[in-house]
Amino acid sequence: MPPDHLPNDWRPSAELAMIQARADLFARLRAFFAAAGVLEVETPILSQAAVTDPALASLSVGGVGPARSLYLQTSPEFPMKRLLAAGSGPIYQICKVFRDDERGRLHHPEFSLLEWYRPGWDPWRLMDEVAELTRVALQRPTLPVERIAYRELFLQRLHLDPWSATVEDLRGAALAAGIADAASLDLDADAWLDLLLTHCLEAGLGRDGMTFLVDYPPSQAALARIRPGPIPVAERFELYLEGVELANGFQELTDAVEQRARFQADLAQRRRRGQSEPPLDERLLAALAAGMPECSGVALGLDRLLMMATGVDRIDGVLAFPVERA
């Protein structure tokens, strides 16, 4: 092909200095875990099973042998938990993960994730480590931390109790906030809460340091344990910085029976929504039944962390080749 007819998008989206900044960031992270005695592991990107969470869409490829389809991981969580059940001790992984239907200023269908697990720890101790790692990664050793409960945030800023608000209460709050199309949306309570969180509350989180949002509604537990009490809560946290969600952590559910029930509930919800129903990860369930240790775990988005470190506003600026140039 003549030079003047070659495509002009062969060049990387990120500058060379950004590619070096990514390498430096990864080196700091690995040094942090080496000093902490946490083992780096690698697990498959392809799996015969897939996540059931209705909020996530997996990408699939052709199968091998009896597996008609294989799924690209949305997180290394399931195989890492199998390692924990096999006695690995504390582990971490830096890897690529994939999610369909995700593209925007902060989203890309392929992104880099840091995930780690601490057997014997509770989420409060893990949050302390997440905060310290973030300070090291950003080279901001005095970056302060605050923690706020999910229910407290909604009560303070929207005057809503997310544990008792009805769908109409939540729709009314969305209308009052001027959220586009709120009048025509047909959502369940959790979807309304997520809409209000992302549109009305997230932008104010992490503005004077790191904000950990803790103690989620039990209906949003995902793979987290539920702490009983007068007001039960999911032992889940998210980290925000400059209004951007960076990490999602759990006190991990270790009950195989409860985990299977949650997977089945997810599939029923996907069926009602007309979504695909991926196969359950029976090997994860077997690992839980065999005895996974009590532990806390967290996943942290490294592309977003690099954005915070370099002051870049769009995820494309920290990627060598976004999907449009891949």
Side-chain angles (χ1 to χ4, degrees):
M1 183 180 289
D4 56 345
H5 289 91
L6 291 173
N8 61 9
D9 62 353
W10 64 269
R11 295 183 179 277
S13 176
E15 300 288 339
L16 180 58
M18 185 62 70
I19 295 171
Q20 182 63 58
R22 178 182 288 269
D24 292 343
L25 172 64
F26 283 23
R28 288 196 296 277
L29 295 174
R30 287 190 163 99
F32 180 93
F33 285 114
V38 181
L39 177 68
E40 182 171 12
V41 299
E42 182 179 83
T43 56
I45 288 175
L46 289 171
S47 175
Q48 297 178 49
V51 66
T52 59
D53 188 336
L56 297 176
S58 297
L59 289 162
S60 63
V61 300
V64 177
R68 288 181 293 179
S69 291
L70 293 171
Y71 298 89
L72 292 166
Q73 64 177 356
T74 59
S75 157
E77 179 170 5
F78 292 178
M80 290 184 77
K81 287 182 172 178
R82 289 165 62 187
L83 289 177
L84 290 163
S88 66
I91 53 176
Y92 82 97
Q93 183 167 184
I94 293 173
C95 60
K96 289 287 191 179
V97 296
F98 306 85
R99 298 182 184 180
D100 201 4
D101 299 326
E102 293 202 7
R103 187 67 176 107
R105 183 178 76 86
L106 297 171
H107 295 86
H108 191 261
E110 173 187 353
F111 60 100
S112 296
L113 194 71
L114 165 64
E115 189 149 335
W116 77 98
Y117 292 88
R118 283 291 201 170
W121 284 25
D122 63 27
W124 309 102
R125 187 176 178 187
L126 183 59
M127 275 184 265
D128 289 340
E129 186 171 60
V130 172
E132 189 54 36
L133 176 135
T134 303
R135 293 186 186 105
V136 168
L138 299 180
Q139 297 179 295
R140 298 173 62 183
T142 61
L143 192 65
V145 172
E146 69 167 351
R147 293 174 180 172
I148 184 169
Y150 187 102
R151 183 168 182 255
E152 181 183 349
L153 179 70
F154 274 80
L155 286 169
Q156 284 183 0
R157 303 189 187 177
L158 293 179
H159 308 293
L160 282 171
D161 185 341
W163 268 248
S164 60
T166 65
V167 165
E168 288 311 310
D169 292 334
L170 299 169
R171 185 195 304 274
L175 288 169
I179 296 177
D181 302 323
S184 61
L185 293 176
D186 182 19
L187 305 175
D188 62 21
D190 282 314
W192 280 116
L193 288 170
D194 188 60
L195 191 69
L196 290 167
L197 178 63
T198 56
H199 285 67
C200 303
L201 301 173
E202 279 188 349
L205 299 177
R207 288 298 175 183
D208 298 314
M210 292 175 273
T211 298
F212 285 98
L213 188 61
V214 304
D215 290 351
Y216 276 62
S219 55
Q220 296 181 28
L223 282 82
R225 190 173 66 184
I226 294 173
R227 186 172 69 243
I231 301 178
V233 299
E235 292 188 292
R236 172 184 173 187
F237 66 83
E238 292 191 345
L239 168 64
Y240 288 87
L241 186 62
E242 302 298 337
V244 174
E245 179 205 336
L246 291 181
N248 186 22
F250 301 143
Q251 183 68 19
E252 301 295 344
L253 180 65
T254 59
D255 184 327
V257 174
E258 172 62 20
Q259 187 61 77
R260 183 181 292 277
R262 292 193 195 179
F263 283 162
Q264 296 288 1
D266 284 347
L267 291 178
Q269 188 171 0
R270 294 178 74 94
R271 195 175 307 122
R272 290 192 296 271
R273 294 182 178 183
Q275 297 173 296
S276 64
E277 298 178 45
L280 297 186
D281 194 327
E282 293 291 348
R283 292 180 177 89
L284 168 67
L285 294 170
L288 296 181
M292 192 183 94
E294 293 291 329
C295 70
S296 285
V298 62
L300 190 152
L302 293 178
D303 302 308
R304 292 185 182 184
L305 186 64
L306 185 56
M307 290 173 66
M308 297 292 108
T310 58
V312 171
D313 187 59
R314 293 188 61 84
I315 197 169
D316 294 41
V318 301
L319 303 175
F321 299 107
V323 66
E324 292 80 8
R325 299 191 187 198

